[in-house]
Amino acid sequence: MKIVVLTGAGISAESGLSTFRDPDGEWMQTDPMKLATPEGFAADPVLVHNFYNARRAQLREVEPNAAHFALARLERALGDDLTLVTQNVDDLHERGGSRHAVHMHGELRRAWCRACDTRMAWDEDLTLATTCPACGEAGHMRPDIVWFGEMPYRMDEILHALERCDMFVAAGTSGAVYPAAGFVELAADAGAETLELNLQRSETTQLFDDHRHAPATENLPAFVDEVIGKA
Ligand code: APR
């Protein structure tokens, strides 16, 4: 059985990372257009660097939760029959044991030099003075994060998996941002069964065959037990 799982910020909420659109979410405190667009970065790179430096540093204080561990267990059981796509830029899937998470919105722990186009692992703060280790240029480094208006990563691979899956599961996402919010329809058009595992109704709940509303740390382990039990 081929499964595509799409995760969003709700998967990491119980690890202590805030989501974006919940009442205490990131985008409730600050304007996403200032922090998560190329225009915002051009207008105030220091503000944007500080925002991502704080989120990168916060990763060192949080731990993966039962939802991350369950998805790693599912990967060990299904192997290549599982495609885990995440909108999250944290590293909790990896630290929970997943080895092949597809980060369609990039990763906090990677940087991108706009002078030489090199992308690289990055754990420290980024500033305007940061020098690219590949080309030696300073002032051209940005977080390797896909901002609004930019093309998500590895879409060919994701669309290929959606066309061939028997089941599509969205977990911890509001269904507010495309193209991820449209994956359920692509999977359904390809004949897949669709399931939403979320804390509450999302913007796309009505597009799913089934939905279970509970915290991710309850929903994901139960779902994985079911799939492995049937495998
Ligand atoms: N368990 C399960 N789901 C939860 C939990 C939890 N403990 N807590 C919150 N949720 C759900 C919320 O109900 C909401 O539907 O997680 C979802 C989080 O939605 P968003 O904050 O919109 O996050 P996400 O869907 O990942 O955002 C998508 O938007 O801002 C951009 O690029 C950013 O990747 C992000 C994209």
Side-chain angles (χ1 to χ4, degrees), residues 3 5 70-79 82 223-224 227-228:
I3 301 180
V5 176
L71 287 169
R73 189 156 55 91
L74 187 61
E75 182 184 272
R76 287 191 293 276
L78 294 189
L82 171 69
F223 169 70
V224 170
V227 172
I228 293 180

Side-chain angles (χ1 to χ4, degrees), residues 1 3 5 64-84 92-101 221 224-225 227-229 231:
M1 176 189 217
I3 301 180
V5 176
N65 64 54
H68 299 106
F69 292 124
L71 287 169
R73 189 156 55 91
L74 187 61
E75 182 184 272
R76 287 191 293 276
L78 294 189
D80 293 343
D81 282 346
L82 171 69
T83 302
L84 173 61
L92 295 179
H93 278 304
E94 289 76 12
R95 288 166 56 201
S98 291
R99 295 171 48 239
H100 302 293
V224 170
D225 287 345
V227 172
I228 293 180

